[in-house]
């Protein structure tokens, strides 16, 4: 079992080596893109590019990075107990990762062997001229397009997975997409245009001089070798090295797969820890397995955006048995749990190693990277003192029946826009639109006092917005639109509820029901707004011109003390004690 420190070192090594390969590739693509200008500019850039990459220590950086990257990926693969739960992007990245060393080594070997044997660079002039003479452009172009796409897609997927957990990444998506696509496209164009120049200039004496000058392979008389001689020498030098590397790589993969198989069989025999899931599924795992591995073995959908690396928090799981029996979170896990303000019984499934039977409830089946960003405390369900606002258009259903659907949608959308604006600019959270009704929550972040004040402010603004809307629709409506607004404050269960794309923060509980009933009471009381005394109390305000009343509310054991306000737009709350 690798420990958390080793795990993060491997992730780090994979990331750094991957970034080095990406930087190299990016430079290479810029170099190819210069073909759009001229082959000479490609050669010039190549000289500068290689001054850097052939510098004493840096010379080994690229091959070492490829090796480290491949080994780190192989290690992660071998350590994974089950391949279930891999996303398509992860599978693509993994398969490309396995093929890449074979392709990259071939490409790099030719360049390196040429340089090591001749002390001269493999200039584009020479390269284009050779493939033109041998009529091999189509082969090289397709080979290059595929190889580059594989390296680049593999790297971009890795960088995307790494950055998608950063909250600023989404705002810069256009920049990153451009960065991912543009260099590839321009480099392909550059190669094609560069080759075309070689074809067009092949009888041009200045081109022929340039080719002779830039040919790396010279015979003993200092003259360029024939293409066949050059090919034979470079092939003789490259092929044995490439063959050995390929064999070594394939052998390590085979040995790795066999070791993994043996290890899994041993683990199976030692599987004596029972993991029970809230849905009734049970699975046995060996000591030291993580909850995430148990979920995968049991075939349970369990989000893990960062692939089990303890960074994203999307594998968060509620521990239903005693959480104190688990090994406490290490510092890395603690940091992530703190970031999402997790309750004490929430742990990261990919980090909890099991040593006794356990009952768990994975919180997210599927997730987006944004689910791993900083989250409010209530996101997993919490009782919060909030003010609820319900609003409804009076008699709108009847009016809708007499109008064309287009008119209904037009009027409703204008209404929602103005009311939504009133709620959001007052600091409320627009929970949902239900038919022509609106539900909003205030004070989830700011506390009950500010929430109550904001809700009263929103109700006043809604009254004013309704007047704006009525004057806007004067010619369209037979009579002005009327609304009823109910406000009530108290504890409600607030959390992320729903399923799949329909998952959103909402509130449930008695406070919600009472607020909804108070909105209904507007009709019986013949007013536009009904505010419960709890809201005024929390906001420390009074409505001096409004007479307090007690109303019976269905589902409530005692009457609710309320302030019925005839016209919300003219309401003037007075601060108590001012
Ligand atoms: S899978 Fe990302 S933190 Fe566990």
């Amino acid at each position: 079992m690798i420990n958390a420190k080793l795990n993060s070192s491997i992730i780090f090594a994979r990331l750094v080596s991957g970034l080095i390969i990406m930087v190299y590739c990016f430079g290479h693509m810029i170099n190819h893109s210069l073909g759009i200008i001229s082959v000479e500019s490609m050669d010039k850039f190549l000289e500068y590019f290689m001054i850097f990459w052939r510098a004493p220590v840096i010379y080994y950086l690229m091959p070492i990075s490829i090796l480290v990257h491949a080994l780190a990926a192989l290690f992660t693969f071998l350590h994974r107990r089950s391949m279930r739960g891999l996303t398509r992007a992860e599978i693509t990245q993994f398969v490309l990762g396995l093929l890449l060393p074979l392709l990259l080594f071939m490409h790099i070997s030719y360049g390196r062997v040429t340089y090591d044997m001749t002390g001269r660079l493999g200039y584009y002039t020479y390269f284009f001229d050779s493939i033109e003479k041998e009529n091999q452009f189509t082969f090289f172009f397709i080979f290059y397009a595929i190889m580059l796409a594989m390296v680049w897609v593999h790297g971009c997927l890795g960088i995307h997975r790494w950055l998608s957990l950063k909250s600023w990444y989404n705002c810069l998506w256009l920049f990153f997409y451009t960065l991912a696509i543009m260099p590839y496209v321009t480099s392909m164009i550059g190669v094609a245009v560069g080759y075309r120049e070689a074809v067009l200039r092949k009888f041009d004496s200045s081109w022929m001089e340039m080719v002779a000058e830039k040919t790396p392979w010279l015979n003993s008389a200092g003259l360029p070798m024939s293409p066949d001689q050059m090919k034979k020498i470079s092939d003789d030098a490259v092929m044995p090295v490439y063959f050995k590397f390929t064999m070594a790589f394939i052998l390590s993969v085979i040995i790795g797969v066999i070791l993994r198989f043996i290890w899994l069989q041993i683990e199976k025999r030692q599987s004596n820890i029972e993991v029970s899931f809230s849905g009734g599924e049970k699975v046995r795992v060996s000591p030291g397995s993580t909850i995430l591995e148990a979920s995968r073995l049991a075939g349970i959908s369990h989000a893990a955006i960062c692939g089990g690396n303890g960074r994203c928090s999307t594998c968060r799981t509620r521990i239903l048995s005693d959480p104190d029996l688990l090994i406490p979170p290490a510092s890395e896990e603690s940091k992530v749990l703190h970031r999402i303000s997790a309750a004490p019984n929430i742990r990261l499934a990919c980090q909890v190693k099991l040593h006794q039977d356990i009952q768990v409830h994975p919180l997210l089946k599927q997730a987006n990277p944004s689910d791993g960003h900083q989250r409010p405390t209530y996101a997993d369900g919490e009782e919060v003192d909030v003010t609820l606002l319900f609003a409804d258009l009076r008699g709108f259903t009847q009016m809708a029946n007499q109008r064309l659907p287009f008119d209904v949608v037009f009027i409703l959308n204008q209404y929602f826009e103005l009311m939504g604006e009133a709620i959001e600019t007052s600091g409320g959270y627009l929970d949902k639109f239900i038919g022509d009704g609106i539900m909003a929550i205030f004070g989830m972040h700011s506390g009950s006092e500010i929430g109550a004040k904001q809700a009263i402010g929103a109700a006043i603004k809604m009254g004013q917005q309704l007047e704006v809307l009525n004057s806007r629709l004067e010619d369209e409506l037979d009579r002005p639109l009327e609304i009823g607004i109910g406000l009530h404050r108290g504890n409600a269960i607030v959390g992320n509820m729903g399923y799949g794309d329909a998952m959103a923060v909402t509130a449930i509980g008695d406070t919600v029901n009472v607020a909804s009933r108070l909105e209904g009471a507007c009709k019986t009381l013949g007013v536009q707004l009904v505010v419960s005394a709890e809201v005024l109390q929390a906001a420390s305000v009074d409505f001096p011109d409004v007479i307090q009343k007690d109303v019976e509310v269905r589902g409530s054991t005692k009457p609710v003390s309320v302030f019925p306000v005839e016209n919300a737009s003219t309401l003037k709350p007075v601060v108590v004690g001012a």
Side-chain angles (χ1 to χ4, degrees):
M1 199 70 200
I2 55 174
N3 61 36
K5 270 220 167 101
L6 180 56
N7 194 22
S8 27
S9 310
I10 289 170
I11 295 168
F12 183 71
R14 217 167 95 188
L15 178 68
V16 173
S17 56
L19 284 175
I20 292 171
I21 298 169
M22 286 297 273
V23 168
Y24 180 85
C25 273
F26 185 73
H28 220 45
M29 288 196 289
I30 299 290
N31 206 159
H32 290 176
S33 305
L34 287 172
I36 297 171
I37 302 171
S38 70
V39 179
E40 241 177 308
S41 60
M42 291 171 100
D43 287 345
K44 205 66 214 145
F45 187 90
L46 181 73
E47 283 171 3
Y48 292 121
F49 187 60
M50 285 308 169
I51 286 174
F52 176 76
W53 287 101
R54 299 246 154 99
V57 178
I58 295 175
Y59 186 73
Y60 298 100
L61 205 57
M62 187 58 182
I64 289 174
S65 297
I66 295 176
L67 199 67
V68 168
H69 200 70
L71 287 179
L74 199 62
F75 196 85
T76 313
F77 159 71
L78 296 177
H79 186 254
R80 196 178 164 119
R81 283 180 167 83
S82 168
M83 289 299 135
R84 284 187 195 167
L86 280 177
T87 61
R88 243 177 287 169
E90 283 173 320
I91 295 169
T92 312
Q93 206 192 357
F94 178 70
V95 173
L96 291 180
L98 272 184
L99 296 173
L100 279 179
L102 303 175
L103 292 170
L104 275 182
F105 197 71
M106 164 80 102
H107 186 65
I108 292 170
S109 303
Y110 269 102
R112 294 241 159 171
V113 167
T114 303
Y115 185 76
D116 289 347
M117 291 181 72
T118 65
R120 296 167 68 117
L121 292 173
Y123 284 105
Y124 287 88
T125 310
Y126 157 72
F127 174 72
F128 285 138
D129 189 67
S130 320
I131 58 171
E132 192 278 324
K133 282 186 179 126
E134 290 168 35
N135 203 14
Q136 282 188 330
F137 176 72
T138 312
F139 167 75
F140 274 106
F141 188 78
I142 293 172
F143 175 76
Y144 169 64
I146 294 173
M147 184 182 67
L148 188 60
M150 285 167 72
V151 180
W152 199 239
V153 168
H154 174 84
C156 287
L157 283 173
I159 290 181
H160 170 72
R161 283 181 59 205
W162 171 47
L163 291 182
S164 61
L165 299 173
K166 315 273 177 202
S167 47
W168 48 263
Y169 179 64
N170 271 351
C171 312
L172 297 175
W173 68 270
L174 188 61
F175 169 74
F176 282 104
Y177 272 80
T178 311
L179 207 59
I181 293 166
M182 280 300 283
Y184 180 79
V185 174
T186 54
S187 77
M188 295 312 301
I189 298 173
V191 169
V193 176
Y195 175 74
R196 188 166 169 268
E197 186 185 334
V199 173
L200 293 176
R201 292 179 66 191
K202 66 180 172 184
F203 300 118
D204 180 340
S205 60
S206 63
W207 173 261
M208 286 193 271
E209 268 170 36
M210 218 161 72
V211 173
E213 193 190 312
K214 289 177 175 173
T215 297
W217 304 97
L218 305 173
N219 60 22
S220 49
L223 296 169
M225 292 179 185
S226 70
D228 285 347
Q229 274 177 314
M230 290 183 228
K231 195 169 180 320
K232 187 170 177 342
I233 290 181
S234 60
D235 280 356
D236 287 350
V238 172
M239 278 325 206
V241 180
Y242 178 69
F243 181 74
K244 277 184 204 155
F245 171 80
T246 308
M247 284 299 115
F249 183 74
I250 292 175
L251 213 64
S252 4
V253 173
I254 293 173
I255 292 173
V257 171
I258 293 171
L259 285 179
R260 183 174 186 274
F261 178 76
I262 297 171
W263 174 58
L264 285 181
Q265 294 310 309
I266 297 171
E267 285 237 314
K268 234 184 219 170
R269 291 213 186 127
Q270 294 172 346
S271 298
N272 55 0
I273 291 176
E274 187 174 85
V275 184
S276 316
F277 294 87
S278 51
E281 304 89 343
K282 287 188 174 143
V283 67
R284 296 195 86 79
V285 293
S286 59
S289 304
T290 63
I291 298 175
L292 186 63
E293 285 165 342
S295 300
R296 283 169 175 163
L297 282 174
I300 287 174
S301 305
H302 196 155
I305 291 274
C306 73
N309 292 326
R311 292 175 53 228
C312 68
S313 87
T314 56
C315 64
R316 51 185 170 261
T317 297
R318 195 182 298 280
I319 309 298
L320 301 176
S321 38
D322 185 358
D324 292 339
L325 294 176
L326 296 172
I327 299 168
S331 69
E332 291 300 310
E333 186 189 351
S334 293
K335 263 189 236 161
V336 178
L337 291 171
H338 185 255
R339 186 181 83 208
I340 57 164
S341 313
N345 61 345
I346 304 292
R347 294 289 300 269
L348 298 184
C350 65
Q351 301 300 305
V352 177
K353 294 189 174 141
L354 300 170
H355 294 283
Q356 69 280 307
D357 293 355
I358 192 171
Q359 274 180 289
V360 295
H361 170 66
L363 291 172
L364 300 175
K365 285 188 167 139
Q366 288 159 349
N368 293 313
S370 58
D371 291 311
H373 298 162
Q374 202 144 26
R375 287 156 52 87
T377 49
Y378 56 73
D380 291 323
E382 197 185 0
E383 213 169 43
V384 189
D385 190 337
V386 285
T387 298
L388 271 303
L389 179 151
F390 275 84
D392 192 47
L393 270 177
R394 296 270 162 263
F396 191 76
T397 315
Q398 204 183 351
M399 187 197 294
N401 289 338
Q402 297 155 7
R403 288 181 168 269
L404 291 170
F406 173 82
D407 283 348
V408 175
V409 172
F410 173 73
I411 295 169
L412 269 184
N413 280 339
Q414 295 218 36
Y415 163 74
F416 287 142
E417 185 190 330
L418 289 174
M419 297 303 147
E421 224 173 72
I423 289 166
E424 287 187 339
T425 53
S426 304
Y429 165 73
L430 207 44
D431 183 317
K432 54 175 84 78
F433 295 112
I434 318 149
D436 57 17
I438 298 170
M439 174 179 165
I441 312 173
F442 293 81
M444 284 193 296
H445 316 269
S446 51
S448 64
E449 183 184 342
I450 295 177
K453 282 182 180 156
Q454 288 174 334
I456 294 171
I460 296 171
K461 271 192 200 163
M462 286 169 81
Q464 292 163 350
Q465 296 278 55
L466 186 73
E467 286 173 9
V468 172
L469 182 63
N470 276 329
S471 66
R472 217 189 258 178
L473 299 175
E474 207 173 353
D475 299 336
E476 318 249 349
L477 301 169
D478 306 333
R479 58 184 173 81
L481 294 171
E482 289 174 24
I483 52 169
I485 307 169
L487 294 186
H488 184 52
R489 192 211 107 227
N491 279 345
I493 296 168
V494 178
N496 218 9
M497 299 178 218
Y499 176 74
D501 288 344
M503 194 94 163
V505 170
T506 189
I508 53 166
D510 278 351
T511 309
V512 183
N513 298 338
V514 172
S516 166
R517 305 268 188 257
L518 293 187
E519 175 267 302
C522 290
K523 194 173 179 186
T524 42
L525 294 169
V527 294
Q528 196 177 54
L529 169 68
V530 173
V531 188
S532 75
E534 274 83 357
V535 178
L536 273 76
Q537 193 189 0
S540 304
V541 296
D542 194 10
F543 300 161
D545 307 329
V546 183
I547 300 162
Q548 190 170 355
K549 277 189 182 168
D550 284 347
V551 292
E552 297 291 336
V553 169
R554 189 153 55 88
S556 178
T557 46
K558 49 184 187 174
V560 179
S561 182
V562 299
F563 289 80
V565 181
E566 206 169 311
N567 186 348
S569 68
T570 56
L571 181 66
K572 298 220 173 355
V574 173
V575 178
V576 174

